[in-house]
Structures are given as C-alpha cells and as structure tokens.
C-alpha cells in the first residue's frame, strides 16, 4: 500500500500544486475508498478504482477552494523593448 500511497500523493500534488492540499486530499480519498470498498465491483483493477476515487476527491478540493490568486506582477509583457535604461541590480 505504501508505494500506491506515494503515487497517489504525487497525483494529488500534480493536480493541486500544493503539498498541503495534496496531504488533505489524500486522507479524504483514502477515507472515501474505505467507506466505498463494499461498492467496488471488480470490473477494473483496485488501482484504477482507487485513482478514480482519488481524482474525484481532488476535483472536489479544487471546486471548494476557489481560484488561487496570482502574483500582481504577472501582467502582460511590454509591447516594446526598453533599450535605453540599465537594469536595476540593487537589492532592497
């Protein structure tokens, strides 16, 4: 189970972009899988079923957390290059 747990955590991290959210979603997915194990019909592998449960849990986290704020300085780039100014190298 431990290798599968690591793989699921990586799956969550790729989808959520945060280890904090990945940890929480992994716990939620494992709880959902435990509660729904009686409904597992063996039409697919246990791994595939668990990934389906995990992905649904992950999508629920994304839906409930709302949009993430982007940094303010990620606006569109300048339409023209500024060639006459020297770059700022001082650190404040």
């Amino acid at each position: 189970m431990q290798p599968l747990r690591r793989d699921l955590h990586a799956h969550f991290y790729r989808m959520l972009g945060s280890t904090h959210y990945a940890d929480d979603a992994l716990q939620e997915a494992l709880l959902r899988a435990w509660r729904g194990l009686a409904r597992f019909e063996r039409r697919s592998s246990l791994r595939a079923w668990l990934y389906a449960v995990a992905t649904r849990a992950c999508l629920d986290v994304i839906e409930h957390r709302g949009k993430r704020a982007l940094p303010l300085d990620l606006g569109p780039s300048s339409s023209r290059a500024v060639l006459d100014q020297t770059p700022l190298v001082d650190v404040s």
Side-chain angles (χ1 to χ4, degrees), residues 21 49 51 72 84:
Y21 283 123
W49 177 78
Y51 265 88
L72 295 175
D84 59 342

Side-chain angles (χ1 to χ4, degrees):
M1 181 65 176
Q2 194 61 24
L4 189 55
R5 186 181 180 102
R6 283 195 315 265
D7 291 346
L8 284 172
H9 191 272
H11 176 66
F12 285 124
Y13 180 74
R14 285 189 299 270
M15 288 186 73
L16 297 170
S18 163
T19 57
H20 173 73
Y21 283 123
D23 292 341
D24 290 346
L26 177 61
Q27 292 301 317
E28 176 64 26
L30 292 176
L31 185 60
R32 286 183 188 190
W34 179 257
R35 289 178 180 162
L37 193 57
R39 293 187 305 269
F40 175 56
E41 298 175 354
R42 301 186 197 290
R43 289 187 289 174
S44 64
S45 69
L46 181 62
R47 179 183 179 95
W49 177 78
L50 191 54
Y51 265 88
V53 171
T55 300
R56 183 70 249 164
C58 192
L59 292 174
D60 289 345
V61 168
I62 292 171
E63 181 182 326
H64 288 98
R65 79 173 178 191
K67 292 187 176 186
R68 292 172 42 184
L70 290 175
L72 295 175
D73 63 346
L74 289 181
S77 61
S78 175
S79 60
R80 60 182 174 80
V82 180
L83 301 174
D84 59 342
Q85 292 180 353
T86 57
L88 300 175
V89 293
D90 293 341
V91 177
S92 28

